[in-house]
Amino acid sequence: MPQNDRNKTKADEAQVKNLTLSEKNAREKQALLEKKEKSKNILERARRIHAARKAHEARKAKEERDARMERRAAERKKAEEARKLKNMKNSAPGNSKTESKAMPEPQYVDFAITARKYKTQLTKKYMQRKFWVNPSPYEIQSYIPGTIISIDVKEGKIVEEGTRLLILEAMKMQNRVDMPFTARIKKINVKAGERVPKDFIMIELEPVES
Amino acid sequence: MSSKKNIIALRQKKAIVEKGGGDKAIEKQIAMGKMPARVRILALLDEGSFHEYDMFVEHEEKNFGMETKELPGDGVITGTGTIGGAPVCIYAQDFTVMGGSLGLKHARKITKIMDHALKMKIPCIGINDSGGARIQEGIGALAGYGEIFYRNTMASGVIPQLSVILGPCAGGAVYSPALTDFVFVVENISKMFITGPNVIETVLGEKISQEDLGGARVHAEITGNAHFYAASEMECFKQIKTLISLIPHNNQKRAQSIAPKDPKFRKKIENIIPADPKQPYDVREVILALVDESKFFEVQELWASNIVIGFGRMDGETIGFVANQPMYLAGVLDCDASDKAARFIRFCDAFNIPIITLEDMPGYLPGVDQEHAGVIRHGAKMLYAYSEATVPKVTVILRKAYGGGYIAMNSRHLGADFVYAWPSAEIAVMGPEGAANIIFRKEIMEAEDEDAMRQQKVKEYVEKFANPFVAASKGYIDAVIEPGETREMLLHSLSVSRDKDDSRPTKKHGIPPF
């Protein structure tokens, strides 16, 4: 009986060992897969953002072009009106006083709210508003204006997640900027001692193909 | 004999203080395009009405060579007087005395006159022209600022408080004006900021001029800190006089009423608004056609122009107007417009001024910038302000009233006393195009000609819902009125609600979405 028992326990132990081994393998595999998935996701996101930015720039360029055209058309119209007014002045000098006093006609633009476009004027603040840009994970930006104290990485090197990239001093506080995920350093846009504004792209990264 | 000697001595002593920083400093002040502090007070108040107090107050600082320095009046002039017969307390910082810098005694003079204003229940006017805290006095200056802020807060909603920025107002000093009800700025003279261009450049490396950072135009147009913008100091004083004539002395009084007069504006009210809901017009013309003498005193004209706020008189009484302005941004509500209207509504409510709301708006402004700027939080301020107000509240829906905007613009549901609509009003959950796209999505998708189907469905929706009668059938609108009847209806509504008595649950204070 005891002999039997011992055999059984041995077999059990082996089984457990095998099991843990295979489990460990599976877990490792899983982790690898997850890592791959994560980097794939980041890559995709970066691509998507790049495309969106390009589209945004194109749209902005088009808006500017349109605005320029409109302005030119308005100027032409104004010049024509001025010419007309001059002609009228020449023909009827008594009338000119009331004409020149009239307020300039405001410039209305199309303004879309949900499914409808309204004719209206834009305010200065509205025209100066900042467009939202989806931040790319492959660009390390300064989240506060400040001074670069030191840079701890070099271009072209693969850097592990969590490693210190640089120290950005702002408001008398030394802020440590870490690597958000494992990637290769593509370009470093700052030098130690340099002052950077807010949202400045300090370091550019590129994905590591595994 | 000796009494005469004493009188002469007093006159001499007074003359020294009245000279402020001396002739040279006054010349410098004038060269900067600014009036000396005493001249400002005399220009603003009724002739011969100004009486000064605390002329001989002296500072007590003993460090950094201050013990030998004499500062006339400690750099601030305080007193009482009248504006158009209305009593006011006033103080003016004197830039010629050590740059108008604020030390403890300077601050104590200001807090003393503020306490006086609060006790006498009369408006308090502060003329700010100061380089900031008197660094030599250190923490004493900070204590002074704190004591002023505390009094600003205690007096808020009890007496009207006006701040006139006629020079630099930097650092901690800016918070006193920010706590007061109305801020006046003058082109090229007013400068307000927390940290000046020098600090910004040394710390952050960003270069900007004082004017671009916190000039009069910036605060009147971009930040909304200023309520009135003037080209010169004299124009600014005129604005103050007009405002004082329109508001009551304190929260237990009504504003002074004058003899009622008919509007002068001769354009027919129904011809101001285009029938096409997409076309703009100037809503201020509608207000001019409604108020006595067609006189409308607009507040924050340049900031968030998509909503118009200001004071006018009806039947000789002061009324606060809130109106969507389709001429700018189609009259939408956004963060700034909500802030602007909400604060004005709370001022009117605190000082017993009835509110008339003119509504023509397509909804809240869509966009990432708006959402991220917190349009939910800001928009909620308007709901809060209207719901909380217990003064008479009347709404006229001129044209569009869609969605959340319909509720926000003093709807019956938020406690409006009277809601009227013109026959051109469209009261619906959203614009007809948007609504048809959602409700008839299936029909539109299945149709052979999608566009034709959409057009037809939009037309159906417009006929059925884009009118005031659906809301009127539910009693949310009290009357559908002809545009020509509007003034008469408003005058009647205001006269019947003169003694309105509406109470709110007892509480220490509410928690508005600041």
Side-chain angles (χ1 to χ4, degrees):
Chain A
M1 258 300 249
Q3 183 84 32
N4 241 348
D5 253 11
R6 210 179 299 146
N7 277 346
K8 207 179 173 186
T9 45
K10 246 185 192 170
D12 275 357
E13 261 172 28
Q15 213 175 351
V16 166
K17 213 174 174 185
N18 271 339
L19 208 77
T20 48
L21 215 71
S22 63
E23 220 174 58
K24 208 174 158 195
N25 277 341
R27 236 182 266 148
E28 268 173 12
K29 235 183 192 169
Q30 186 69 26
L32 209 72
L33 269 173
E34 268 172 18
K35 214 171 175 187
K36 258 189 185 168
E37 186 71 14
K38 197 179 158 194
S39 63
K40 209 174 115 193
N41 279 344
I42 292 175
L43 203 70
E44 264 177 17
R45 187 162 163 233
R47 273 198 199 116
R48 218 167 43 235
I49 288 164
H50 185 67
R53 273 191 190 178
K54 253 193 163 165
H56 172 71
E57 268 162 27
R59 202 166 59 233
K60 217 169 148 190
K62 190 177 173 289
E63 262 176 24
E64 269 169 23
R65 209 164 49 234
D66 286 352
R68 223 170 24 239
M69 297 272 274
E70 239 170 62
R71 220 165 32 237
R72 246 182 241 157
E75 269 167 23
R76 229 175 289 140
K77 209 174 149 192
K78 221 169 151 187
E80 210 164 278
E81 267 168 18
R83 212 167 41 240
K84 261 189 203 163
L85 206 73
K86 216 175 161 190
N87 287 343
M88 251 163 63
K89 249 187 206 171
N90 288 343
S91 58
N95 244 358
S96 61
K97 229 176 192 175
T98 48
E99 283 281 336
S100 58
K101 250 191 177 174
M103 283 277 284
E105 189 65 24
Q107 296 288 323
Y108 292 117
V109 295
D110 279 329
F111 189 62
I113 296 160
T114 58
R116 215 188 231 179
K117 274 185 187 160
Y118 295 93
K119 283 273 176 216
T120 190
Q121 280 173 284
L122 301 179
T123 57
K124 194 171 150 198
K125 191 170 177 181
Y126 183 81
M127 285 189 281
Q128 287 177 349
R129 77 194 187 283
K130 262 194 192 148
F131 285 92
W132 182 71
V133 185
N134 201 343
S136 165
Y138 282 89
E139 290 167 357
I140 309 288
Q141 296 189 353
S142 52
Y143 55 88
I144 190 170
T147 311
I148 307 289
I149 299 296
S150 67
I151 299 169
D152 307 327
V153 288
K154 290 217 163 64
E155 279 180 19
K157 288 268 157 57
I158 295 172
V159 179
E160 283 286 319
E161 181 178 331
T163 315
R164 192 171 88 186
L165 287 177
L166 52 80
I167 289 179
L168 172 66
E169 189 186 273
M171 299 303 288
K172 304 176 183 79
M173 187 68 79
Q174 296 202 343
N175 303 290
R176 177 188 155 134
V177 178
D178 288 349
M179 193 70 174
F181 50 85
T182 306
R184 184 180 283 116
I185 306 288
K186 190 177 162 196
K187 211 173 155 217
I188 298 175
N189 298 328
V190 289
K191 287 193 289 281
E194 198 176 349
R195 228 160 34 188
V196 291
K198 191 174 183 276
D199 293 334
F200 184 79
I201 299 169
M202 300 185 292
I203 292 178
E204 290 170 45
L205 309 177
E206 62 185 351
V208 187
E209 283 87 16
S210 48
Chain B
M1 189 68 195
S2 72
S3 120
K4 200 173 176 192
K5 214 166 126 194
N6 285 344
I7 290 169
I8 289 169
L10 170 68
R11 283 183 188 163
Q12 281 170 346
K13 232 178 158 177
K14 270 189 170 175
I16 291 171
V17 175
E18 275 170 9
K19 269 206 172 151
D23 293 335
K24 229 175 169 182
I26 289 175
E27 250 171 56
K28 220 169 148 190
Q29 172 91 347
I30 292 167
M32 279 191 282
K34 303 196 294 185
M35 285 180 174
R38 199 167 296 274
V39 180
R40 282 171 173 164
I41 292 181
L42 297 177
L44 176 60
L45 299 183
D46 294 339
E47 215 179 322
S49 76
F50 179 59
H51 289 77
E52 188 175 349
Y53 314 119
D54 288 342
M55 268 184 117
F56 307 121
V57 166
E58 282 171 12
H59 72 86
E60 288 167 354
E61 184 55 39
K62 294 192 173 55
N63 295 313
F64 310 110
M66 289 290 287
E67 61 275 16
T68 57
K69 258 192 189 164
E70 268 185 37
L71 303 177
D74 209 32
V76 63
I77 304 166
T78 63
T80 50
T82 60
I83 293 178
V88 295
C89 281
I90 190 165
Y91 69 84
Q93 293 178 312
D94 190 347
F95 197 77
T96 63
V97 180
M98 225 181 152
S101 62
L102 184 137
L104 185 60
K105 287 290 164 185
H106 176 124
R108 288 271 161 84
K109 271 180 82 172
I110 294 175
T111 54
K112 191 171 162 190
I113 201 75
M114 287 172 81
D115 286 339
H116 193 76
L118 190 56
K119 230 184 308 175
M120 302 306 153
K121 295 274 170 68
I122 54 176
C124 186
I125 301 172
I127 299 179
N128 291 261
D129 184 6
S130 160
R134 197 174 292 155
I135 307 299
Q136 289 87 342
E137 293 201 21
I139 193 87
L142 297 184
Y145 278 128
E147 287 170 17
I148 294 173
F149 303 158
Y150 180 77
R151 279 161 182 81
N152 280 138
T153 312
M154 290 305 113
S156 177
V158 183
I159 52 169
Q161 298 182 84
L162 278 55
S163 292
V164 195
I165 315 298
L166 296 179
C169 180
V174 296
Y175 284 116
S176 175
L179 287 166
T180 59
D181 305 324
F182 295 103
V183 177
F184 295 76
V185 292
V186 176
E187 199 181 344
N188 293 329
I189 292 178
S190 315
K191 272 146 200 106
M192 286 176 90
F193 30 71
I194 302 276
T195 49
N198 292 342
V199 177
I200 290 184
E201 202 188 330
T202 48
V203 176
L204 310 173
E206 290 165 353
K207 251 190 193 158
I208 190 162
S209 72
Q210 281 199 359
E211 202 60 38
D212 290 336
L213 179 66
R217 193 89 200 168
V218 170
H219 288 302
E221 204 171 331
I222 307 288
T223 67
N225 281 335
H227 297 79
F228 297 98
Y229 170 83
S232 69
E233 291 192 25
M234 285 318 280
E235 191 192 330
C236 173
F237 295 154
K238 226 170 128 188
Q239 289 172 340
I240 297 170
K241 287 175 191 171
T242 313
L243 182 67
I244 289 287
S245 76
L246 283 162
I247 56 177
H249 300 170
N250 59 58
N251 64 344
Q252 282 155 17
K253 284 227 165 74
R254 275 174 199 269
Q256 198 78 26
S257 64
I258 59 167
K261 277 177 189 151
D262 280 336
K264 281 184 192 160
F265 195 73
R266 282 286 158 243
K267 200 166 164 185
K268 267 206 166 153
I269 196 165
E270 54 262 48
N271 295 342
I272 298 169
I273 302 192
D276 180 357
K278 293 174 204 164
Q279 290 300 322
Y281 62 93
D282 192 348
V283 76
R284 285 174 294 195
E285 289 190 357
V286 180
I287 299 176
L288 291 183
L290 293 174
V291 295
D292 287 6
E293 275 190 284
S294 294
K295 271 189 186 163
F296 178 57
F297 188 58
E298 194 174 346
V299 180
Q300 287 179 315
E301 192 181 337
L302 300 169
W303 183 57
S305 326
N306 39 331
I307 202 156
V308 171
I309 57 171
F311 301 104
R313 286 182 189 275
M314 291 194 89
D315 201 23
E317 303 267 354
T318 301
I319 309 291
F321 281 87
V322 179
N324 304 119
Q325 173 61 293
M327 207 160 84
Y328 288 100
L329 303 180
V332 292
L333 285 183
D334 57 6
C335 296
D336 288 350
S338 307
D339 278 6
K340 176 175 162 180
R343 191 153 193 257
F344 181 71
I345 293 159
R346 294 196 95 198
F347 178 84
C348 290
D349 186 42
F351 291 100
N352 316 312
I353 299 170
I355 303 162
I356 290 178
T357 308
L358 303 176
E359 179 171 6
D360 182 1
M361 60 96 71
Y364 279 93
L365 179 63
V368 182
D369 56 322
Q370 280 296 310
E371 296 291 342
H372 285 190
V375 70
I376 297 175
R377 185 163 54 85
H378 292 283
K381 291 178 191 174
M382 215 160 148
L383 304 174
Y384 195 101
Y386 267 127
S387 305
E388 180 192 43
T390 54
V391 291
K393 298 181 282 186
V394 189
T395 305
V396 184
I397 300 173
L398 309 177
R399 222 168 43 171
K400 304 175 297 292
Y402 297 151
Y406 155 70
I407 309 168
M409 291 299 287
N410 194 31
S411 59
R412 151 77 4 97
H413 325 292
L414 297 187
D417 299 305
F418 298 100
V419 182
Y420 304 126
W422 287 6
S424 50
E426 295 179 11
I427 304 158
V429 70
M430 65 198 304
E433 287 87 349
N437 272 343
I438 294 169
I439 299 171
F440 306 112
R441 189 191 197 141
K442 220 171 155 195
E443 282 98 321
I444 291 171
M445 281 214 336
E446 283 168 2
E448 273 181 32
D449 188 346
E450 278 188 27
D451 274 338
M453 190 65 170
R454 184 177 291 122
Q455 297 277 329
Q456 188 200 326
K457 289 296 178 192
V458 168
K459 212 176 145 202
E460 270 175 36
Y461 189 88
V462 167
E463 276 165 13
K464 266 194 186 153
F465 299 102
N467 59 55
F469 299 106
V470 180
S473 74
K474 299 190 190 313
Y476 300 152
I477 305 288
D478 298 305
V480 183
I481 59 171
E482 288 178 28
E485 297 175 310
T486 312
R487 180 171 152 92
E488 199 269 316
M489 272 310 241
L490 288 174
L491 286 174
H492 178 74
S493 321
L494 291 169
S495 81
V496 297
S497 46
R498 246 191 93 86
D499 294 326
K500 179 184 175 187
D501 187 9
D502 197 359
S503 65
R504 293 285 178 264
T506 314
K507 53 180 151 183
K508 192 174 167 197
H509 56 67
I511 305 151
F514 274 175

